Structures are given as C-alpha cells and as structure tokens.
Amino acid sequence: MRSDHQRGFTLVELLVVIAILGVLAGLGTQLIGYATKRSSIGVAEHEIQRLILGVESYQIDYGDYPPTSMEQEYDITGNGLDLGNESLVAHLASRARGRTYFDFSEEFLENLDGDRLGNVDLFEQMRSVFGDDQLREYLDPWGVPYVYIHNRDYGLEFSVTQEGGATRVTSGTSEKTATFHDPLRFQIWSAGPDGIHQNGSGDDVSSW
C-alpha cells in the first residue's frame, strides 16, 4: 500500500493545474503583446527625436526648416500624397552643403507610391545620398509614414497614408489652449499602434 506522499494527482487536481497554466499562458501572451507595443512606441519616439535633431541641423545651414511640400516649393508634379514626409526625407538626405542631416534606417525607408522628383536640375542640386530621384517615405514601426508639417503650413490639410488607405490631416492643436503645438517650428508625428492618424493626438506618437 502506497503512503499519502506517494499518491498521484487526482483528476480534479490535474484540471486545476491545467486551468492555472492556461491563465498564466494568457497573461504571458498579454504581457508580451504589451511589451512589444511599448517597444515599438519607444522606437517611434526615438526616431522622432532623431528627426527633430536632423531638422534643427538643417535649419542651421539653410536658415529655415524643410518645406512641407516639394511640389509647392519647387513646382514639381507628384501625386499629392505624404508630401511632408517625402520632403523631409529628400532634404535631410541632401548633400548640397557637404553633409547629410539624418542617418536613415534602411528598414524604415520605402517609396510606397512610386513618386519621383522628376527634375534633373533639382536632383543634381540636392545631391541625394540615395543616388537616385525617388521620393521615399520614412515609416514608423507600424509601416505608416510619419507626418511632417512646417509651421507656415499649420492649418492646411494634407493627404497622408494610414492603415487601410489615405486620409486628410492637419496640424495638431492643444486641447487646453486651442493653439498649434510648436507654433514657431514644425510638427512630426507617427500614427501610432493603431495606424490611424489623429493629428498627433490619441495614440499618435508626436514631437510635442
């Protein structure tokens, strides 16, 4: 006859253990998902801070921030989508003054809409570090282009890419004061984990 300490688990005990393991597995999955989300948000915040430094360095050399729209600034023809992002990438990648202003992570660079500069003189003048005239977008960790708006274009609407297609955005404002964020500089934001632009609010990751 076996002593008590040698007896096996009963069916009820096994079911309890299985239930506990199931709960722990569910919690583990949630924690991993949360950690992944926080990690992606951290990447977006870091990239935005790097972009800010790049834009400020550009301003030191040129006396102004990159324009929101290369189509308006240089009278070139494009599809009107993600203008600020494309302009930001093109200007920060320019070697016209002997240096570039941002070290782009290749994994986040794409030409989603196939846009090109289409101006040989401007291309040669800008001396892009990429060596071609593609108008690339710089993507956030969720694969959506960041939004960039120069302060002189605050209040205007722009077409940008988000999860599921294109949408219209405008510069972000403070809920308390109803004034534009960073009124004398520029705004940069990511659509955040949901991939939907909310003008820098909600779960968007912004420069302010």
Side-chain angles (χ1 to χ4, degrees), residues 33-194:
Y34 177 76
T36 301
K37 177 181 176 181
R38 288 303 310 170
S39 175
S40 296
I41 291 174
V43 170
E45 291 173 339
H46 177 68
E47 290 302 299
I48 287 175
Q49 290 304 311
R50 292 206 310 122
L51 286 168
I52 290 172
L53 292 176
V55 173
E56 294 289 2
S57 295
Y58 180 93
Q59 192 273 340
I60 291 173
D61 278 1
Y62 288 89
D64 196 4
Y65 304 115
T68 307
S69 170
M70 295 185 70
E71 293 183 10
Q72 295 175 359
E73 190 76 9
Y74 305 113
D75 193 28
I76 63 175
T77 302
N79 63 8
L81 186 62
D82 296 316
L83 297 179
N85 189 299
E86 292 175 346
S87 175
L88 186 65
V89 172
H91 285 87
L92 296 187
S94 171
R95 294 177 297 178
R97 295 290 177 94
R99 63 167 179 151
T100 58
Y101 302 92
F102 189 78
D103 182 18
F104 290 97
S105 300
E106 289 291 333
E107 61 181 310
F108 296 135
L109 274 174
E110 293 285 348
N111 187 353
L112 297 177
D113 52 13
D115 262 2
R116 289 184 173 273
L117 195 58
N119 184 316
V120 176
D121 292 337
L122 181 58
F123 169 66
E124 292 179 350
Q125 174 187 333
M126 296 191 74
R127 298 180 59 224
S128 172
V129 70
F130 302 127
D132 58 45
D133 69 342
Q134 291 191 59
L135 291 176
R136 294 168 172 81
E137 293 88 18
Y138 199 53
L139 312 182
D140 67 16
W142 302 278
V144 177
Y146 292 95
V147 172
Y148 167 78
I149 303 177
H150 189 292
N151 69 75
R152 64 171 166 260
D153 296 315
Y154 287 179
L156 301 180
E157 287 193 346
F158 297 94
S159 294
V160 298
T161 302
Q162 67 175 17
E163 185 70 28
T167 189
R168 303 281 289 178
V169 299
T170 188
S171 36
T173 57
S174 167
E175 292 184 1
K176 293 182 179 180
T177 64
T179 57
F180 295 121
H181 293 291
D182 277 333
L184 301 178
R185 298 198 308 164
F186 50 86
Q187 295 184 1
I188 302 174
W189 75 78
S190 154
D194 67 357

